[in-house]
Amino acid sequence: MRRLNRKKTLNLMKELDAFPKVPESYVETSASGGTVSLIAFTTIAFLTVMEFMVYRDTWMKYEYEVDKDFTSKLRINIDITVAMRCQYVGADVLDLAETMVASADGLIYEPVIFDLTPQQKELQRMLQLIQSRLQEEHSLQDVIFKSAFKSASTALPPREDNSLQSPDACRIHGHLYVNKVAGNFHITVGKAIPHPRGHAHLAALVSHESYNFSHRIDHLSFGELIPGIINPLDGTEKIASDHNQMFQYFITVVPTKLHTYKISAETHQFSVTERERVINHAAGSHGVSGIFMKYDISSLMVTVTEEHMPFWQFLVRLCGIIGGIFSTTGILHGFGRFVAEIIFCRFRLGSHRSTSVPLPDGHTSNHLPLSTDNSTH
């Protein structure tokens, strides 16, 4: 009884077989089929390797939403070198929301030499080259995001030449916490003096001949400081052509949440537009000599997430490659054989029509005899 049930089950499973096996005696192989099979297997192997490389790679997904955080503070990371002595310059932030000077106690004024050493110049030249490539290839920013905390720091190395030259510049570096509204960070002549209606700089004791706002921006970023991230103004160097010159940077800051397989941080991206002009009141060019960075906060927030292809999707794509190539090559092979048979049949038919048979009365016939008999009568 068990054998009978088992036999019925096996017969039922055989009837449900969607992949029937053809006996080998019924299979006909050909050289063209073997060639097409070899091409198909080679293509499958190549595409499988390429698909595996795509599976191993990751990409960045960008999502946009309205930034609803208005209460938190905005951190500004600064590392700027100005070609003037530290006692002649002052840096502070003017908060446009409260029209008051934000505290600049987090900044350090360090006397340095403005000219770089050969090692520092090489690093700055490499950083400027990366900046130029980033402006041409925006997709490189994804590579920088994925390599954050893995890349080397973009800060200039300390001087190692032990130069006896006296410091002729001032390095202003550190960080500030300001309100998350538009503002103006500026470096100009004289130290800032608190004022009920704003602020002022004590510049009367500094002669105009000593004005020199040639500067180098080694680093400027907003939000959490992330090593390896290259910002648009990193490596910028400007040389003043006149004593009374104004450098302006108009910055739009975009809050950014970065989530990769290595880090998860809240930072800020920004775009910048640069302007510079010589202050000449007689010619109608009014203003104050110095370096002005006017920033505005975008109302949109960007969430950048590193994503990876799921394994099931990789299997589906792999099955599609294998099945698609087998089906396509089979169709192309069948179509090729069909075309070849038509061409060869016409060729044979034409050769048969051109064959002539002599008749006893001296005439010729182009028709083939129905049968050929080699026997002698």
Side-chain angles (χ1 to χ4, degrees):
M1 189 66 179
R2 287 184 178 178
R3 288 183 177 180
L4 185 59
N5 292 335
R6 187 179 301 173
K7 193 172 183 180
K8 289 182 179 179
T9 304
L10 291 176
N11 291 332
L12 179 62
M13 296 303 295
K14 287 181 180 180
E15 292 178 0
L16 296 176
D17 188 5
F19 309 97
K21 309 299 184 296
V22 180
E24 293 185 1
S25 58
Y26 296 159
V27 177
E28 181 182 357
T29 58
S30 62
S32 61
T35 304
V36 172
S37 300
L38 183 61
I39 296 175
F41 290 142
T42 305
T43 307
I44 289 174
F46 174 75
L47 293 181
T48 300
V49 173
M50 296 298 295
E51 189 66 26
F52 181 72
M53 294 176 63
V54 173
Y55 169 72
R56 290 186 56 190
D57 195 13
T58 59
W59 63 88
M60 308 305 293
K61 178 181 178 182
Y62 292 81
E63 297 177 332
Y64 302 88
E65 59 181 323
V66 177
D67 185 15
K68 301 178 181 178
D69 183 12
F70 303 106
T71 59
S72 63
K73 294 290 185 178
L74 176 65
R75 172 171 169 158
I76 307 178
N77 307 294
I78 301 164
D79 191 351
I80 301 175
T81 302
V82 185
M84 292 181 66
R85 298 184 182 276
C86 291
Q87 62 266 27
Y88 296 157
V89 295
D92 49 337
V93 179
L94 179 62
D95 190 341
L96 297 184
E98 300 178 358
T99 61
M100 59 178 292
V101 178
S103 174
D105 297 335
L107 297 180
I108 300 173
Y109 294 80
E110 179 184 351
V112 294
I113 300 174
F114 188 77
D115 293 333
L116 299 176
T117 63
Q119 181 184 4
Q120 291 174 329
K121 287 183 179 179
E122 184 65 26
L123 180 59
Q124 186 191 32
R125 192 179 302 111
M126 182 179 63
L127 189 57
Q128 292 174 350
L129 178 61
I130 295 175
Q131 291 284 17
S132 62
R133 291 298 303 274
L134 282 173
Q135 294 177 4
E136 298 173 359
E137 302 288 342
H138 298 285
S139 58
L140 292 178
Q141 186 64 45
D142 294 350
V143 180
I144 294 177
F145 279 149
K146 289 191 286 187
S147 62
F149 278 145
K150 293 167 58 179
S151 303
S153 175
T154 58
L156 293 177
R159 300 183 69 93
E160 297 180 353
D161 56 353
N162 297 323
S163 176
L164 300 178
Q165 179 183 352
S166 60
D168 59 352
C170 184
R171 179 190 175 199
I172 305 173
H173 60 98
H175 60 271
L176 299 172
Y177 287 95
V178 298
N179 295 323
K180 203 172 181 180
V181 292
N184 182 6
F185 170 76
H186 52 272
I187 302 174
T188 187
V189 179
K191 303 299 180 181
I193 302 174
H195 193 272
R197 296 185 179 181
H199 78 294
H201 288 262
L202 186 60
L205 302 179
V206 184
S207 63
H208 285 79
E209 287 73 17
S210 61
Y211 286 14
N212 185 3
F213 284 101
S214 300
H215 61 280
R216 183 176 58 251
I217 304 176
D218 295 327
H219 181 79
L220 179 70
S221 64
F222 298 83
E224 184 178 347
L225 186 60
I226 303 177
I229 297 295
I230 299 177
N231 297 278
L233 286 176
D234 293 355
T236 300
E237 185 176 82
K238 299 290 184 180
I239 303 300
S241 59
D242 192 271
H243 293 292
N244 294 330
Q245 191 159 349
M246 172 189 289
F247 295 91
Q248 293 177 304
Y249 299 92
F250 300 93
I251 300 173
T252 301
V253 183
V254 181
T256 304
K257 291 184 178 180
L258 181 62
H259 302 286
T260 68
Y261 289 104
K262 299 294 181 181
I263 63 170
S264 180
E266 294 188 6
T267 182
H268 292 72
Q269 302 179 82
F270 65 90
S271 61
V272 60
T273 303
E274 305 176 14
R275 294 287 184 272
E276 59 180 87
R277 59 188 175 91
V278 176
I279 303 300
N280 189 348
H281 298 286
S285 177
H286 304 290
V288 179
S289 303
I291 304 167
F292 297 86
M293 298 182 177
K294 300 180 180 181
Y295 60 89
D296 194 6
I297 312 297
S298 174
S299 59
L300 291 179
M301 180 176 62
V302 182
T303 302
V304 185
T305 308
E306 185 179 7
E307 291 194 345
H308 186 273
M309 182 188 298
F311 183 70
W312 65 267
Q313 187 175 353
F314 168 70
L315 291 180
V316 171
R317 291 166 64 98
L318 194 61
C319 293
I321 289 174
I322 297 174
I325 290 178
F326 267 118
S327 301
T328 304
T329 52
I331 294 173
L332 293 177
H333 181 232
F335 181 74
R337 290 188 60 181
F338 175 72
V339 173
E341 288 178 359
I342 292 178
I343 295 175
F344 285 133
C345 285
R346 289 188 176 182
F347 177 75
R348 291 174 183 175
L349 184 60
S351 63
H352 292 335
R353 286 179 178 177
S354 63
T355 304
S356 60
V357 180
L359 297 178
D361 56 358
H363 295 83
T364 57
S365 174
N366 293 327
H367 297 281
L368 289 176
L370 297 178
S371 62
T372 303
D373 191 1
N374 295 326
S375 59
T376 12
H377 299 277

